Amino acid sequence: MPDLGSRHVSVVSVTNLVEITELNFGYGSRLVLKGINLTVRKGSLVAIMGLSGCGKTTLLRLIGGQLQAHEGSVMVAGQHLNNMSQSDLYALRRRLGMMFQFGALFTDLSVYDNVAFQMHEHTSLSESVIRDLTLMKLNAVGLRGVQSLMPSELSGGMARRVALARATALDPELILYDEPFAGLDPISLGVIGQLIRRLNDALGATSILVTHDVQESLKIVDYVYFVSEGVIVAQGTPEQIRASTLPFVHQFIWGEADGPMPFHYPAKTMANDLGLREV
Amino acid sequence: MERSTLNLLVGIFVLLGFFAFLVLAFKVGNLSAGGSGQTYTLVANFDNIGQLKERAPVRSAGVLVGRVKSVRFDPVHYTAEVRMAIDTQFKFPKDTSASVLTSGILGEQYIGLEAGGDDQMLKDGDQIKLVQGAVVLERLIGQFLFNKAQDSSAAKGAQK
Amino acid sequence: MVLESTLRNIRLVGDGTLKIVERIGATVVFLGLTLTQSATSFRRFDLVIREIFYAGVQSLIIIMVSGLFVGMVLGLQGRETLQNYGSEQSVGVLVALSLVRELGPVVAALLFASRAGSAITAEIGLMKATEQLSAMEMMAINPMARVVAPRFWGGVISMPLLAMLFSAMGIIGGFLVAVVLIGVDDGAFWSQMQAAVDFRHDIANGIIKSLVFGIAVSAIATFEGYEASPTAEGVYGATTRTVVS
């Protein structure tokens, strides 16, 4: 058999769309991520969960190539992201869609122009084709009726749905979601959750979801990684996670105030701070 | 905003700016008086130029015909070498004379050209031979006093 | 120790100087980067036209009104002073030269920086704070080419037009006060002005000056916005820095 070489793996043969091995990353001297190993199978919907500030958004940025790994490797669609040239990175990103925490819609463009943005920038499709595609994308999130509004006129939930339509505008292979549920009312939350699942399956895409909303994401995802203080502490399918007896996971899922994550920030004893002397 | 409205407003803005440019160039500046803007150079050496500066006007019969291009001290003849840029539409005879004059008593100084009667015309880079430097006020007053003193002593001598 | 505190103060001066030089250097590098990413702006000029609208057309009123009043003041004060020397007809020269050479480019640039420059900084800063720039980068679109360069060129194109409008309005203002209100001779006003103002030396130089100011203001405004720390305070600070520097 001819040696294909490890550098040029064809996309079709890759079953793991994202592969992270022994990743270390830090801002300055402070390590944020330590020895991360993570794989995302093609076609699956994976959640990365953890407390605020545990490094999960950083992990997402590493997958999107906005940050560079210090040690270890990040592979997306069979390509190493380390030391990738700007043009290669941009070529790869065209196959990626990303939805940001609060949507990050372009405030100076209408809803329609936001969704059509990448088609205008990256394709030479005729205006009528772009119009049809854009309306289809907006229809998929149920917001064809707001196409002429500006982002500032939308509610938080609608803005998030428009952002979803924009992230999927070019039918990406991999969709990244940064806190898609943050700050949403229960109904919008359910709607976004369903849409994420539906779009992932309809487009045959792969999705990575960074969130701390346990109940909603456990309903829709295939696999979960738990990150705490820069380390993956648990992983498994939603059923395994729900049944997990790990104290941290248990505390996280059931939202208990005290547990392995202590309620009290480390401090001297109360008596000491109040200046009481032991009798 | 509608794209066409936007284009219209920007168009109006650019046209306004262009109009302002035209006003500045023709109403405020001297682009209209400059004619073609083509000039040729004449040179004149004065023993004294007074306060004459670069870009001072060059007039003939009171009409602006050019400007002083440069003023330089000539270390060989110990004179001031003045180069003038004259509009090409004005030609002057070879025996034209140049003098440093003052507009009003305290006004700016300029060069006056007085045409002669020669058939030959001055060409680019030619030297004007007939020159009259600036009148220095101190010297004028000194001369006046000197003459007065001479007159009075002569009168005294005549009385004797 | 006296020596020690003196040394510390000198060190502070050195530190401050280095920071300023660093900032200027960074702005120049950023300007270079903007220029290399400018191809998109000219291939799709509608992007720039949009920015000319926001930078230029929306500054039009303030520039024209300020110009008019500055010219009026110059006309009034200039005539009062010149009258003492019996040469009040030269008021046109005074108004025109001070506007075309200095006031036009400088004051128009100041107004432009506080009106349009701060708006550009705030807009880019907010786009950064709300992750719009990151979103663009994730869509494989360089924000330098799509966001920064059109705003830069919009400013650079608007600035000379605004400066010329400022000067023209100022001269009209001076004319209104000196000729229409006070009664300086109309013909002398214009003819002395025309004799004194040279197209190449005064007007063209003024335009070049305003172009340079336009480049500086636009580069600083876009740089401060792009480098602003992505918070409300960061954007506020950057906006202030644009106007100040």
Side-chain angles (χ1 to χ4, degrees):
Chain A
M1 235 177 91
D3 182 20
L4 289 170
S6 56
R7 286 173 61 97
H8 301 281
V9 187
S10 74
V11 180
V12 190
S13 73
V14 179
T15 50
N16 289 331
L17 200 61
V18 178
E19 257 185 65
I20 297 177
T21 41
E22 290 303 323
L23 170 81
N24 284 331
F25 180 83
Y27 296 108
S29 57
R30 196 171 62 91
L31 268 187
V32 178
L33 296 172
K34 288 163 268 191
I36 300 277
N37 284 300
L38 183 152
T39 52
V40 177
R41 290 179 62 82
K42 217 173 157 70
S44 65
L45 177 49
V46 171
I48 300 173
M49 281 192 224
L51 299 172
S52 311
C54 70
K56 53 192 194 303
T57 298
T58 305
L59 192 53
L60 203 64
R61 282 173 192 265
L62 282 158
I63 297 170
Q66 287 176 301
L67 297 171
Q68 289 269 316
H70 293 177
E71 283 166 44
S73 80
V74 179
M75 267 173 76
V76 175
Q79 288 173 283
H80 279 281
L81 289 191
N82 306 32
N83 306 318
M84 200 181 221
S85 74
Q86 169 115 345
S87 52
D88 285 348
L89 189 60
Y90 272 14
L92 179 67
R93 279 185 186 165
R94 289 193 184 201
R95 298 156 57 186
L96 252 60
M98 180 157 178
M99 189 176 125
F100 282 80
Q101 191 156 359
F102 292 105
L105 294 176
F106 301 129
T107 39
D108 55 341
L109 299 177
S110 69
V111 166
Y112 174 88
D113 284 330
N114 259 289
V115 178
F117 187 78
Q118 294 175 84
M119 304 181 202
H120 279 135
E121 297 287 331
H122 284 319
T123 67
S124 48
L125 298 172
S126 73
E127 194 54 48
S128 65
V129 176
I130 289 182
R131 204 187 122 75
D132 292 350
L133 285 172
T134 305
L135 291 185
M136 277 162 63
K137 294 292 174 192
L138 276 173
N139 198 41
V141 297
L143 290 178
R144 196 160 31 82
V146 300
Q147 49 167 309
S148 55
L149 294 185
M150 297 304 279
S152 55
E153 298 170 283
L154 300 178
S155 72
M158 291 206 288
R160 218 63 69 85
R161 274 148 81 183
V162 173
L164 197 56
R166 186 180 70 177
T168 55
L170 290 186
D171 296 346
E173 294 168 41
L174 175 65
I175 313 174
L176 309 174
Y177 299 93
D178 187 6
E179 301 281 8
F181 305 121
L184 289 183
D185 60 82
I187 297 177
S188 306
L189 207 97
V191 170
I192 294 282
Q194 290 309 311
L195 277 174
I196 289 174
R197 180 78 242 185
R198 276 224 313 265
L199 282 170
N200 186 64
D201 297 345
L203 294 172
T206 309
S207 302
I208 301 176
L209 194 68
V210 158
T211 180
H212 49 237
D213 193 300
V214 190
Q215 302 308 335
E216 194 55 44
S217 36
L218 284 185
K219 275 189 238 164
I220 55 168
V221 299
D222 300 324
Y223 204 79
V224 181
Y225 286 92
F226 262 99
V227 181
S228 174
E229 288 171 349
V231 186
I232 292 184
V233 290
Q235 51 179 295
T237 60
E239 291 74 37
Q240 289 170 329
I241 291 293
R242 278 207 187 89
S244 172
T245 51
L246 265 170
F248 171 76
V249 175
H250 191 267
Q251 186 194 0
F252 194 95
I253 290 180
W254 304 109
E256 286 157 0
D258 215 350
M261 273 292 141
F263 171 70
H264 286 291
Y265 193 82
K268 292 182 218 162
T269 62
M270 185 73 173
N272 199 325
D273 268 1
L274 293 179
L276 301 175
R277 233 173 309 147
E278 284 178 55
V279 189
Chain B
M1 183 164 311
E2 199 63 26
R3 175 85 155 275
S4 53
T5 332
L6 196 102
N7 285 356
L8 178 75
L9 286 172
V10 171
I12 292 174
F13 169 56
V14 172
L15 286 181
L16 262 179
F18 191 67
F19 178 70
F21 173 76
L22 290 184
V23 168
L24 289 181
F26 291 105
K27 186 78 182 166
V28 177
N30 56 357
L31 202 64
S32 53
S36 53
Q38 300 275 6
T39 58
Y40 67 101
T41 305
L42 293 180
V43 189
N45 282 52
F46 297 96
D47 53 353
N48 193 324
I49 57 164
Q51 307 292 312
L52 191 76
K53 295 205 175 61
E54 260 179 49
R55 306 217 333 99
V58 177
R59 298 175 198 273
S60 186
V63 179
L64 188 74
V65 294
R67 287 197 183 268
V68 171
K69 203 158 82 180
S70 68
V71 176
R72 186 178 83 88
F73 183 66
D74 179 352
V76 182
H77 304 100
Y78 304 109
T79 54
E81 184 192 281
V82 175
R83 294 180 159 270
M84 293 164 271
I86 309 291
D87 201 303
T88 33
Q89 57 183 314
F90 306 116
K91 302 278 183 220
F92 289 93
K94 273 244 161 33
D95 56 350
T96 294
S97 70
S99 34
V100 180
L101 302 171
T102 311
S103 57
I105 297 175
L106 296 168
E108 53 166 2
Q109 284 187 302
Y110 66 95
I111 291 186
L113 294 182
E114 207 154 321
D118 205 306
D119 300 338
Q120 298 263 320
M121 292 291 164
L122 286 165
K123 292 189 298 294
D124 186 45
D126 277 359
Q127 179 108 21
I128 297 177
K129 298 279 166 16
L130 296 166
V131 291
Q132 167 76 56
V135 176
V136 182
L137 206 59
E138 292 92 322
R139 208 177 282 170
L140 198 70
I141 294 168
Q143 192 103 43
F144 176 73
L145 293 177
F146 182 73
N147 285 348
K148 264 279 189 250
Q150 237 174 9
D151 282 353
S152 61
S153 66
K156 271 181 196 153
Q159 271 179 356
K160 276 187 185 163
Chain C
M1 282 291 283
V2 181
L3 181 71
E4 233 167 68
S5 74
T6 316
L7 271 179
R8 198 174 56 235
N9 286 335
I10 294 179
R11 221 172 278 138
L12 275 179
V13 172
D15 189 48
T17 317
L18 280 180
K19 280 210 179 98
I20 293 169
V21 171
E22 228 168 62
R23 200 133 192 100
I24 295 173
T27 312
V28 172
V29 170
F30 185 79
L31 172 64
L33 214 62
T34 310
L35 293 180
T36 59
Q37 296 291 342
S38 291
T40 319
S41 301
F42 290 98
R43 207 172 49 240
R44 296 176 45 191
F45 204 67
D46 55 311
L47 291 177
V48 181
I49 287 182
R50 218 183 122 87
E51 299 312 325
I52 294 178
F53 174 78
Y54 287 117
V57 177
Q58 299 207 325
S59 310
L60 202 55
I61 301 291
I62 187 173
I63 291 272
M64 287 174 80
V65 171
S66 311
L68 193 70
F69 280 104
V70 166
M72 283 174 151
V73 171
L74 276 177
L76 187 69
Q77 296 302 325
R79 195 206 71 109
E80 299 242 310
T81 312
L82 289 173
Q83 200 181 25
N84 296 337
Y85 304 99
S87 51
E88 56 178 8
Q89 276 116 349
S90 304
V91 68
V93 180
L94 178 105
V95 172
L97 279 186
S98 41
L99 274 171
V100 169
R101 275 193 196 158
E102 303 293 344
L103 286 179
V106 173
V107 179
L110 277 176
L111 290 172
F112 182 74
S114 49
R115 170 69 187 68
S118 59
I120 291 174
T121 306
E123 195 188 6
I124 296 181
L126 271 178
M127 288 184 85
K128 189 180 184 188
T130 53
E131 295 190 303
Q132 292 179 45
L133 296 184
S134 298
M136 211 172 261
E137 232 170 73
M138 283 306 297
M139 295 176 188
I141 294 158
N142 194 335
M144 289 296 292
R146 186 61 175 66
V147 174
V148 172
R151 280 169 179 72
F152 172 78
W153 285 109
V156 169
I157 293 169
S158 300
M159 189 62 241
L161 295 172
L162 289 173
M164 284 191 291
L165 275 167
F166 186 92
S167 300
M169 287 305 288
I171 289 163
I172 292 172
F175 171 82
L176 282 179
V177 167
V179 177
V180 178
L181 284 183
I182 302 179
V184 173
D185 184 63
D186 185 16
F189 182 88
W190 290 114
S191 64
Q192 289 217 7
M193 193 190 290
Q194 284 183 2
V197 179
D198 185 62
F199 177 73
R200 190 144 13 112
H201 274 261
D202 301 322
I203 297 175
N205 271 352
I207 294 172
I208 290 170
K209 210 185 249 184
S210 65
L211 195 66
V212 173
F213 283 144
I215 293 172
V217 170
S218 305
I220 291 172
T222 47
F223 172 73
E224 291 291 355
Y226 202 77
E227 295 291 310
S229 56
T231 57
E233 291 83 21
V235 175
Y236 171 75
T239 312
T240 313
R241 277 201 301 281
T242 298
V243 178
V244 173
S245 58

